[in-house]
Amino acid sequence: MSVRAAEEPLHRALGLTDDELDRIVGLLGREPNALELALYGVMWSEHCSYKSSRLHLRRLPTAGDRVLVGPGENAGVVDAGDGIAVAIRIESHNHPSAIEPHQGAATGVGGILRDIFTMGARPLAVMDPLFFGSPDDARQRWLVEGVVSGISSYGNSVGVPTVGGELTFDSCYSSNPLVNVLCLGALPVDRLVLGRASGAGNLAVLLGAATGRDGIGGVSILASAGLGGGSGADAIKRPSVQVGDPFEEKRLIEACLALLDAGLVLGIQDLGGAGLACATSETAARGGVGMDVDVSSVPRRELGMAPWEVMTSESQERMLAIVTPGAWPAVEELCRRWEVRAAVVGTVTDDPSGRLRVLDRGAVVADVPASSLADGAPLYDRPLREPAGLDARRADDPTFDAPAGDSEADLCALLCDPSWVYRQYDSQLFLNTVVGPGADAALLRLAGPGLPPSERGVAITTDSAPRWCAIDPRQGVALVLAEAVANLACVGASAVAVVNCLNFGNPEHPEVMWQLSETIDGLAAACRALELPVIGGNVSLYNESTGADIDPTPVLGVLGLVEKLRRRPPGMGWVDGDASTVVLLGARRAPGALGAPGAPGAPGAPSPAAHPLGGSTWAVTCRSRRHGALPPLDLVAHREVVRLVTRLVADSVGGGDGLLDAVHDVSGGGLGVALAEMAISGGVGVRVESLEGHRELFSELPSRIVVATRRPDELVGRARDAGVPAELVGVVGGSRFVVDGLVDLGMDELAAVWSGALRARLEPV
Amino acid sequence: MATRVGVVVFPGTNCEHDALAGLEVAGARGTLVWHTETQLRTMDAIVIPGGFAHGDYLRPGALARFSPVMEAVGRFAAEGGPVVGICNGFQVLTEAGLLPGAFVKNRGLKFVCAPTTVRVEVTHSVITAGLEPGTRLCIPVNHFSGSYVCDERTLAHLRASNQVILRYLDNPNGSIDDIAGIANDAGNVVGLMPHPERAIDELLGSADGLALLRAFVSSSACVRAG
Amino acid sequence: MRFAARVEVRLRPGIADPEGTTIERALPALGFDDVRGVRTGRSFRFQVDATDVETARRRVQALADRLLANPVIEDSELEVSLEPDSGEP
Amino acid sequence: MRFAARVEVRLRPGIADPEGTTIERALPALGFDDVRGVRTGRSFRFQVDATDVETARRRVQALADRLLANPVIEDSELEVSLEPDSGEP
Ligand SMILES: Nc1ncnc2c1ncn2[C@@H]1O[C@H](COP(=O)(O)OP(=O)(O)O)[C@@H](O)[C@H]1O
Ligand SMILES: [Mg+2]
């Protein structure tokens, strides 16, 4: 690195292109000094500026009746009713987790929490979609173990329950695991606060941990360029991994919420990527004001830090608050009470061009327009190209592969109980968790310290389908949104808003940009069809290993609301007793397909298949077949099924007469896995008749929800009225799991396979 | 007047609001007591709730035991006042020497958040008074260092003097002798790893914890009256 | 004078050390079948100001006994030495 | 021959050590205002069988690097010595 630095001009070493340097010179009307260049380097990085994705993100629909704050702030906020607003945000911490899984994941949790309480919301729940390579490899097990323990140790200690997530294994993540973290918080509507500075003469106050040389990473090139910093060559070797301190964060949460409750803060912003450089320039730019920051006032953890180190450090657990000079003594006092460090590090100025000036003991060492850092990065319209051979891949469909194989063994191979992961998470704190991890969606009471009383509930789910998105990102992401909305319906919640984390490969590869663009178009269209706004998100690019990009992995978090939460929803487990009947809601066969077993299918002319298997979990896991045509999705029909189920479940959750004994959507692993999970969860067997072979057992055709009821006639009537197809498929009871002609297993065996699957892979020996 | 229960809050404690909610359902009035407090005279009973006092750094409870409030808790207990430590609170009480034994990491070396079934063993403690011995309660645990250990003499003494008040039926952490909760000799100081305040409503999956909280509230009322 | 101190805290012999056992169990698969008897502990390093090494040692011992180790289950072992760049107060 | 090994794993200098910081902050209240710079670590003790001390040391180093420490944020320090009651193979 130092060799490169010697040969390379400084701006390139800092990650800026020659054109970007020219742009900076144009903005400033002069050459930037080294510190200024460092500020642009971090602020114009892909991570901070979204320069490759911003043009595309604009195509997402963001408006909605309930939306109080859309994308662009630290978190999206919706009005949940009863004077309560809900804030939500999702983020990735992929790259740090790849080299130090425990701390990488832990600091990911810390960062997402700050995004929530910076809005004035108390963080109430976390979810963690995770993606790794095959757990049969020891390094992957080390990653899984470390990431899960990192989330567990930080989340549990800071006192925010982790109520769900996802766990995906695929070789494309071998050198680049994905660690996404979603956080949901709630606030009294009138405590909503934004990250902006205002009022010349007001103070910029740094709260929380002392600043060290954490995560300076790429910028540490400055040290080797001979531009100061007491650390010299040491800094270059310094890893850009930070150690999280949940105890500091816990105090910081309490202190910040207390400051906001007391009305002592005008604006507040967390310090995340690019540290103080980002927090000061963004708050100033959003408020249209200037700011002076004196680095010598910043409490340090280490000796001899240079101004660029202080400005770009990514030390964790810090916040920047804007307060009036009159309020400062009260702020200090409150912070002392919570044992949180507070220091005035700057002042808001009325500089007409909104300049950020960095001072060192009074001497100006950098002077640039704040908005040029925060919003001035060039937006790239990078070239797009559809990956070669996609049509051929879609045509290479496994649906009519012969022979069918052993369906019983296949079903067992698809069963997996993720509780190995979520038992390590406190999922219950705050006494809100009505449905925790292990179900279709988490369902929480909308309550917390300081919130107005309410009977409402809030539901949340995260979903993804990278295999589908690799075949067809546009259709794939629509299927993901459809599944998420169905998941919410299963706990009686209506979807109200979407956040997304777009994990993609290298944007300099036109194929990756095409995937990104297609994903955004697919998400935008699906959101419009379902009338859902996107209220926030995060883009993580450069997820690749040795030149190979990961499968496109958009992860969606969807928020739902329940009007009255008085009783637990039926859940996925059915109950024994007087013959509960299993009913499949939604079209049993793909539209346009003939429906006869094995119908129109010679290999090579697979479509329309009644029970498509392209891209299915079965095809990938049991047959190593990654390609094929995605199942069709009719969002209008989907909406009807989802509405019906939401109504039925919401009715029983609200205290009404429950028509359903159990409910679960058909997703990964198809009907077979859905039925098996319902049986295992209820501890009661089932007899399912006349399925159309293994295809119907494993197809992941969307828009289907399985329910159990003791009043099938009434249910079928309700479905007919709603225009939703409904078919009786089996009868609950006994101690065997039977799908005629395909599977016949004792419940004990089935449950043992399910509960042992993950442990066996993660803890061999 | 309702029984007044002081709920001790250290920096890093996180179950204090849940404890308040549980006490309220059980009929008491809870008040948060910050760890720098040195007076507990206005309280009828004390709860040390769960969480991560001082981040659980060093060892769970190791730093918390030096907080000013702990001297007051010691005096309160010595005078016969009812004191219950839940989870992290139990760890604090052992570190402070108010209960015997210590905690090590769970067997399995992982944090465990899961429902457990415990059996009420004896009923002379402030949290089990009035319950039937043998009663089974479904109450969740939530801890990393929840494996109770003590030397053989201590264990023999705990058994002989009926101080083991709750035992796990499905020991989730490797605790010696399946111990989920113990009391001191007098029965007024109790520690338990399961979280009764997390089981106060069928909506949350179980209301079994209320039996313990109600017993605690009514025995605290008795102590005050007597 | 400033002294450098190191305190190592370990579970007392006889107290199970599942972490040590787990590491030991994983070793053969990693090609370390020549290692046994793994016991884990925690270490603390810090500086202590004292007039002489004896006082420093007593202070470190006190800190270990009162805070760093839980005597119910743990033992501690300490080392105290003059800081190289010490001398000034 | 059998050797006794001790490996101490610590966060690299400059990496934040919240546990050490928290302990240090608590010390003055306990009467230890003469202590500073607390850094925490993990220690491992075990026996290793090897033909000579050099080989033993190499094995211990390999174990520390591969399993006990993550060199991205941690350093390890090791001590290897002949077990007193060793000598026989
Ligand atoms: N990493 C994780 N953290 C917490 N919960 C998880 C994790 N992975 C899976 N779960 C939980 O396990 C359940 C099953 O997950 P999944 O199979 O992805 O559900 P679905 O197919 O309904 O989307 C969900 O409740 C999910 O929240
Ligand atoms: Mg889901």
Side-chain angles (χ1 to χ4, degrees):
Chain A
M1 203 178 214
S2 60
V3 175
R4 221 182 57 167
E7 295 166 349
E8 242 184 352
L10 182 58
H11 69 274
R12 277 195 224 148
L14 289 168
L16 294 162
T17 64
D18 296 352
D19 288 343
E20 287 168 344
L21 176 63
D22 291 344
R23 188 181 174 97
I24 294 166
V25 172
L27 282 164
L28 297 180
R30 61 175 167 82
E31 289 285 327
N33 66 29
L35 169 58
E36 291 165 342
L37 212 46
L39 297 179
Y40 284 103
V42 291
M43 288 301 294
W44 287 14
S45 68
E46 187 64 59
H47 179 69
C48 289
S49 71
Y50 290 78
K51 58 190 169 190
S52 300
S53 56
R54 201 126 95 171
L55 283 176
H56 298 282
L57 292 171
R58 286 178 181 161
R59 300 199 296 272
L60 292 172
T62 59
D65 291 346
R66 291 184 178 275
V67 179
L68 299 177
V69 177
E73 286 282 344
N74 294 296
V77 181
V78 296
D79 188 343
D82 293 338
I84 302 176
V86 170
I88 182 172
R89 160 107 175 156
I90 187 167
E91 231 177 31
S92 63
H93 232 220
N94 304 338
H95 296 125
S97 304
I99 54 172
E100 205 331 279
H102 182 96
Q103 294 299 342
T107 51
V109 175
I112 195 74
L113 298 183
R114 289 192 291 282
D115 281 325
I116 295 300
F117 69 84
T118 193
M119 307 300 295
R122 177 174 285 278
L124 290 177
V126 164
M127 288 192 129
D128 67 335
L130 308 176
F131 303 77
F132 300 98
S134 164
D136 302 330
D137 168 54
R139 184 180 162 81
Q140 298 303 315
R141 293 196 295 271
W142 174 74
L143 288 170
V144 176
E145 178 110 24
V147 164
V148 172
S149 73
I151 291 166
S152 157
S153 73
Y154 200 103
N156 299 350
S157 173
V158 78
V160 180
T162 300
V163 299
E166 279 196 285
L167 183 62
T168 302
F169 296 110
D170 191 293
S171 57
C172 76
Y173 305 110
S174 296
S175 346
N176 198 315
L178 303 183
V179 176
N180 290 183
V181 211
L182 174 148
C183 182
L184 171 153
L187 65 154
V189 172
D190 51 19
R191 193 166 73 194
L192 184 60
V193 55
L194 300 177
R196 58 192 52 170
S198 58
N202 286 337
L203 309 175
V205 176
L206 187 58
L207 305 170
T211 300
R213 292 190 179 92
D214 303 89
I216 288 174
V219 191
S220 65
I221 205 73
L222 281 178
S224 63
L227 291 163
S231 47
D234 233 20
I236 302 166
K237 284 184 284 169
R238 190 178 307 280
S240 59
V241 169
Q242 299 109 51
V243 169
D245 183 357
F247 178 46
E248 178 83 45
E249 179 112 329
K250 166 73 176 163
R251 300 187 329 269
L252 198 54
I253 292 175
E254 299 303 335
C256 288
L257 294 181
L259 289 171
L260 290 167
D261 272 338
L264 291 170
V265 163
L266 301 170
I268 189 163
Q269 162 87 38
D270 62 299
L271 276 75
L276 208 45
C278 180
T280 52
S281 60
E282 282 192 357
T283 47
R286 288 202 198 105
V289 295
M291 194 178 290
D292 284 357
V293 194
D294 196 322
V295 291
S296 62
S297 326
V298 173
R300 321 270 176 94
R301 206 181 68 229
E302 293 182 74
L303 294 175
M305 289 179 70
W308 63 267
E309 292 180 303
V310 176
M311 288 303 289
T312 61
S313 159
E314 296 188 351
S315 286
Q316 300 290 295
E317 290 95 21
R318 298 179 302 161
M319 302 285 284
L320 187 75
I322 308 298
V323 310
T324 65
W328 167 239
V331 169
E332 242 189 325
E333 174 63 31
L334 237 169
C335 288
R336 199 175 310 123
R337 155 72 157 74
W338 287 106
E339 302 178 21
V340 163
R341 192 184 283 101
V344 175
V345 299
T347 45
V348 177
T349 67
D350 55 6
D351 176 77
S353 48
R355 288 210 305 268
L356 174 70
R357 298 197 311 164
V358 180
L359 297 88
D360 188 7
R361 280 179 230 88
V364 176
V365 289
D367 184 348
V368 300
S371 61
S372 72
L373 288 175
D375 311 308
L379 298 189
Y380 291 129
D381 192 1
R382 296 192 186 274
L384 314 175
R385 186 174 6 153
E386 182 175 324
L390 260 193
D391 286 340
R393 275 197 261 163
R394 287 176 194 150
D396 176 23
D397 194 285
T399 304
F400 296 99
D401 283 2
D406 179 347
S407 292
E408 195 166 286
D410 288 350
L411 178 65
C412 288
L414 297 177
L415 295 177
C416 175
D417 166 16
S419 67
W420 184 95
V421 175
Y422 66 69
R423 267 167 64 97
Q424 299 185 51
Y425 303 149
D426 181 348
S427 55
Q428 305 166 326
L429 192 74
F430 300 130
L431 310 185
N432 287 340
T433 311
V434 175
V435 178
D440 289 308
L443 176 62
L444 311 176
R445 298 188 315 147
L446 187 51
L451 293 183
S454 171
E455 263 198 320
R456 284 168 204 268
V458 47
I460 179 87
T461 176
T462 60
D463 286 286
S464 65
R467 279 174 289 105
W468 284 354
C469 294
I471 296 172
D472 181 349
R474 189 182 283 257
Q475 168 85 346
V477 74
L479 284 162
V480 173
L481 184 64
E483 184 192 337
V485 167
N487 282 175
L488 294 177
C490 291
V491 298
S494 314
V496 297
V498 176
V499 291
N500 66 100
C501 193
L502 303 178
N503 305 275
F504 284 76
N506 185 338
E508 291 152 38
H509 299 163
E511 292 79 7
V512 169
M513 281 312 295
W514 178 85
Q515 290 169 336
L516 183 69
S517 172
E518 285 289 297
T519 299
I520 286 169
D521 285 336
L523 179 58
C527 283
R528 288 209 174 83
L530 298 174
E531 292 176 63
L532 289 172
V534 175
I535 61 169
N538 173 249
V539 180
S540 169
L541 301 177
Y542 298 99
N543 292 291
E544 54 183 337
S545 32
T546 52
D549 295 299
I550 61 161
D551 282 350
T553 312
V555 175
L556 303 185
V558 185
L559 177 72
L561 292 175
V562 171
E563 291 276 321
K564 277 202 200 87
L565 179 47
R566 293 181 179 162
R567 275 211 328 234
R568 300 170 70 74
M572 70 170 80
W574 47 50
V575 287
D576 215 346
D578 27 29
S580 200
T581 302
V582 183
V583 178
L584 181 66
L585 298 174
R588 191 167 163 183
R589 298 174 192 86
L594 292 178
S607 140
H611 308 293
L613 287 168
S616 67
T617 317
W618 171 84
V620 175
T621 308
C622 304
R623 297 292 178 273
S624 304
R625 297 271 273 125
R626 303 177 67 88
H627 304 151
L630 295 193
L633 171 65
D634 173 352
L635 280 170
V636 175
H638 186 78
R639 215 175 152 153
E640 295 312 320
V641 181
V642 162
R643 272 205 187 128
L644 171 67
V645 171
T646 307
R647 255 200 321 272
L648 291 171
V649 179
D651 186 42
S652 110
V653 160
D657 146 59
L659 183 52
L660 305 183
D661 290 342
V663 49
H664 188 26
D665 71 313
V666 176
S667 63
L671 186 58
V673 166
L675 290 166
E677 287 174 345
M678 295 175 86
I680 292 163
S681 170
V684 182
V686 68
R687 176 168 204 120
V688 175
E689 284 166 30
S690 60
L691 286 199
E692 291 164 4
H694 76 287
R695 296 187 190 94
E696 183 166 18
L697 194 62
F698 296 120
S699 168
E700 293 169 13
L701 186 68
S703 315
R704 295 175 301 156
I705 295 181
V706 185
V707 300
T709 179
R710 269 165 283 190
R711 282 134 66 191
D713 294 344
E714 192 180 337
L715 178 68
V716 171
R718 294 278 297 269
R720 194 187 317 108
D721 296 346
V724 170
E727 278 192 52
L728 313 193
V729 294
V731 177
V732 172
S735 58
R736 295 197 76 75
F737 181 88
V738 182
V739 179
D740 276 352
L742 293 171
V743 186
D744 185 349
L745 282 165
M747 279 307 301
D748 289 348
E749 189 182 348
L750 191 70
V753 167
W754 176 75
S755 64
L758 189 56
R759 172 178 305 271
R761 296 188 77 185
L762 290 175
E763 296 178 19
V765 181
Chain B
M1 201 181 60
T3 308
R4 282 159 309 176
V5 182
V7 175
V8 176
V9 185
F10 301 97
T13 295
N14 62 30
C15 297
E16 71 273 28
H17 295 288
D18 299 359
L20 287 181
L23 289 166
E24 189 179 317
V25 178
R29 210 185 69 216
T31 315
L32 298 180
V33 176
W34 188 237
H35 74 122
T36 51
E37 190 59 61
T38 54
Q39 274 309 333
L40 297 172
R41 253 190 250 122
T42 56
M43 301 299 163
D44 300 315
I46 297 296
V47 169
I48 307 183
F52 290 73
H54 296 275
D56 269 4
Y57 288 140
L58 189 53
R59 286 184 311 279
L63 295 170
R65 91 172 226 245
F66 291 107
S67 277
V69 76
M70 287 311 294
E71 239 184 85
V73 170
R75 282 197 309 273
F76 187 88
E79 289 162 11
V83 176
V84 167
I86 301 169
C87 194
N88 195 226
F90 189 4
Q91 294 164 332
V92 173
L93 290 174
T94 57
E95 283 282 341
L98 292 173
L99 289 172
F103 287 90
V104 296
K105 284 181 187 164
N106 297 342
R107 160 183 69 200
L109 297 173
K110 288 186 173 53
F111 193 98
V112 175
C113 175
T116 55
T117 306
V118 292
R119 187 176 57 226
V120 175
E121 300 289 11
V122 295
T123 59
H124 76 265
S125 84
V126 286
I127 203 166
T128 51
L131 298 184
E132 268 308 301
T135 305
R136 292 175 180 204
L137 303 171
C138 178
I139 301 181
V141 292
N142 188 70
H143 55 235
F144 198 164
S145 292
S147 182
Y148 181 80
V149 294
C150 63
D151 59 35
E152 277 172 24
R153 267 188 39 210
T154 308
L155 182 60
H157 178 80
L158 286 174
R159 283 177 168 166
S161 52
N162 287 323
Q163 286 173 249
V164 178
I165 59 168
L166 298 171
R167 278 202 174 83
Y168 300 111
L169 294 185
D170 45 4
N171 192 337
N173 53 37
S175 286
I176 191 167
D177 201 21
D178 296 330
I179 288 177
I182 59 170
N184 65 350
D185 278 304
N188 68 313
V189 179
V190 162
L192 72 166
M193 284 321 276
H195 284 262
E197 82 283 8
R198 292 186 176 198
I200 57 167
D201 192 335
E202 287 300 342
L203 192 58
L204 303 174
S206 168
D208 287 359
L210 272 181
L212 297 175
L213 294 175
R214 288 206 174 108
F216 176 61
V217 171
S218 44
S219 50
S220 301
C222 292
V223 171
R224 181 173 48 140
Chain C
M1 291 198 291
R2 176 156 297 178
F3 297 86
R6 189 175 73 77
V7 177
E8 186 181 350
V9 174
R10 282 175 297 161
L11 289 167
R12 303 233 305 246
I15 305 266
D17 177 6
E19 209 162 346
T21 316
T22 303
I23 293 172
E24 193 166 336
R25 229 190 1 244
L27 288 176
L30 299 173
F32 291 95
D33 39 17
D34 43 1
V35 170
R36 64 204 81 245
V38 181
R39 300 281 292 174
T40 64
R42 291 171 301 124
S43 79
F44 305 89
R45 301 207 174 220
F46 48 90
Q47 287 102 43
V48 55
D49 290 328
T51 48
D52 55 80
V53 69
E54 266 323 299
T55 317
R57 171 169 287 280
R58 265 202 314 280
R59 295 293 290 163
V60 174
Q61 184 75 57
L63 183 57
D65 293 347
R66 278 197 65 199
L67 184 67
L68 301 180
N70 179 352
V72 175
I73 45 173
E74 293 170 325
D75 283 333
S76 61
E77 195 177 301
L78 38 112
E79 275 169 32
V80 177
S81 59
L82 195 64
E83 278 270 281
D85 56 345
S86 179
E88 74 291 299
Chain D
M1 290 197 290
R2 175 157 296 177
F3 297 86
R6 189 175 72 74
V7 177
E8 187 183 351
V9 174
R10 284 176 298 161
L11 289 165
R12 285 171 51 180
I15 303 263
D17 178 1
E19 181 159 16
T21 312
T22 303
I23 294 170
E24 188 167 341
R25 221 177 21 227
L27 289 176
L30 306 183
F32 290 96
D33 41 17
D34 45 1
V35 170
R36 65 204 80 246
V38 180
R39 301 281 292 173
T40 63
R42 296 175 292 130
S43 80
F44 305 88
R45 299 203 174 224
F46 48 86
Q47 287 99 43
V48 53
D49 291 327
T51 47
D52 56 81
V53 69
E54 265 322 300
T55 316
R57 170 168 288 279
R58 263 203 315 278
R59 296 293 291 164
V60 174
Q61 184 76 57
L63 180 57
D65 293 347
R66 283 194 52 199
L67 187 67
L68 303 179
N70 179 359
V72 170
I73 53 167
E74 292 169 325
D75 282 335
S76 57
E77 197 176 299
L78 36 115
E79 276 169 30
V80 176
S81 60
L82 198 62
E83 278 270 284
D85 56 345
S86 180
E88 75 288 297

